[in-house]
C-alpha cells in the first residue's frame, strides 16, 4: 500500500492592493465616526463624597446640545465657586431656573416661580457669611441659568449666583 499524501488546508492568497482598496473606505468611515463622537460627547464622573446628585456617578455630556430647559441636567465650567471648585472645573447640576424665571432666596428657603426648590443655606457658615448675604428676589437674566443639586448641602446658585451661556458645555445625561 502506498501512503496517501497529507492534504494541507491551503487558503488562496489575496493580493494586498485590492484588499486595501476595499478596506480603506471602511477605515475612513470608522475614523470619521470616532472623530465625530469624540468631539461631540464627553464622559464625566463624580467622585465626591457628598454629591449633590446622589443617585448617579457617571454622566454623558452632549457638547453639541446647549438648548437647556428647566429640569435638564446641565454641564458647565465653574466660575466664582471657590473654595469648593476651581475655576474651569466641569460641574453637573440641575437647571432649576431659566431666563425670565423668578428667583427668591432667603435664609429659610429658595423658590423658583413661587415653587419651593430647596430649604435653608447650610453652607453659609462654612463660607463665613451671614445667610442674609445670599438674599435675593429677582428674575433670572438673559442667557443665564439657576442651578441646584438634590441635597441641602449642594454648593449651588444659592451661594454664587447664575451660570451663564459662556460657561455651558452642554446637556448632561446621568448614566450610572
Amino acid at each position: 500500500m502506498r501512503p496517501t499524501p497529507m492534504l494541507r488546508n491551503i487558503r488562496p492568497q489575496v493580493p494586498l492592493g485590492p484588499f486595501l482598496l476595499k478596506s480603506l473606505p471602511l477605515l475612513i468611515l470608522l475614523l470619521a465616526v470616532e472623530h465625530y463622537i469624540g468631539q461631540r460627547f464627553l464622559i464625566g464622573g463624580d467622585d465626591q463624597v457628598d454629591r449633590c446628585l446622589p443617585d448617579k456617578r457617571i454622566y454623558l455630556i452632549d457638547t453639541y446640545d446647549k438648548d437647556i430647559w428647566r429640569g435638564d441636567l446641565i454641564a458647565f465650567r465653574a466660575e466664582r465657586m471657590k473654595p469648593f471648585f476651581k475655576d474651569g472645573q466641569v460641574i453637573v447640576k440641575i437647571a432649576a431656573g431659566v431666563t425670565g424665571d423668578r428667583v427668591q432666596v432667603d435664609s429659610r428657603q429658595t423658590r423658583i416661580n413661587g415653587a419651593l426648590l430647596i430649604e435653608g443655606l447650610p453652607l453659609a457658615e462654612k463660607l463665613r457669611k451671614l445667610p442674609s448675604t445670599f438674599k435675593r428676589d429677582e428674575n433670572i437674566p438673559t442667557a443665564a441659568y439657576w442651578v441646584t443639586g438634590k441635597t441641602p448641602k449642594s454648593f449651588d446658585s444659592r451661594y454664587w449666583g447664575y451660570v451663564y451661556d459662556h460657561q455651558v458645555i452642554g446637556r448632561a445625561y446621568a448614566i450610572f
Side-chain angles (χ1 to χ4, degrees):
M1 248 206 236
R2 199 166 172 219
T4 57
M6 215 179 214
L7 296 176
R8 292 188 338 192
N9 190 3
I10 299 175
R11 192 169 21 169
Q13 295 234 336
V14 176
L16 186 59
F19 169 76
L20 288 177
L21 284 175
K22 289 179 181 177
S23 63
L24 191 58
L26 180 61
L27 178 62
I28 290 171
L29 177 66
L30 288 173
L31 289 173
V33 168
E34 187 277 332
H35 178 73
Y36 173 76
I37 290 172
Q39 290 290 314
R40 179 167 183 165
F41 297 102
L42 300 172
I43 294 179
D46 186 353
D47 59 357
Q48 298 179 93
V49 175
D50 293 324
R51 295 189 320 271
C52 69
L53 301 171
D55 51 340
K56 301 295 181 188
R57 285 190 175 270
I58 306 293
Y59 299 91
L60 178 70
I61 302 167
D62 185 348
T63 63
Y64 285 22
D65 186 358
K66 295 183 181 183
D67 186 23
I68 308 297
W69 292 77
R70 189 181 306 106
D72 289 344
L73 289 178
I74 181 175
F76 60 94
R77 298 216 180 270
E79 285 183 7
R80 311 168 320 278
M81 295 177 66
K82 292 179 182 178
F84 296 106
F85 301 106
K86 296 181 287 187
D87 283 354
Q89 185 171 343
V90 177
I91 308 290
V92 173
K93 293 209 182 270
I94 300 165
V98 297
T99 298
D101 285 351
R102 189 85 181 158
V103 176
Q104 297 167 304
V105 179
D106 63 35
S107 61
R108 294 177 294 117
Q109 58 194 5
T110 299
R111 293 182 172 276
I112 302 281
N113 297 328
L116 180 63
L117 180 63
I118 200 160
E119 293 184 350
L121 292 163
L123 298 178
E125 187 177 316
K126 192 169 189 175
L127 293 168
R128 296 187 181 108
K129 293 186 178 182
L130 295 172
S132 60
T133 308
F134 304 103
K135 185 175 179 159
R136 64 174 76 211
D137 185 354
E138 61 197 26
N139 288 335
I140 298 174
T142 301
Y145 304 90
W146 185 270
V147 300
T148 189
K150 290 184 177 180
T151 63
K153 289 190 176 180
S154 172
F155 187 57
D156 53 33
S157 288
R158 292 175 288 175
Y159 302 102
W160 40 262
Y162 304 109
V163 169
Y164 295 94
D165 274 351
H166 73 273
Q167 293 174 256
V168 175
I169 298 168
R171 183 178 292 176
Y173 300 90
I175 300 175
F176 303 108

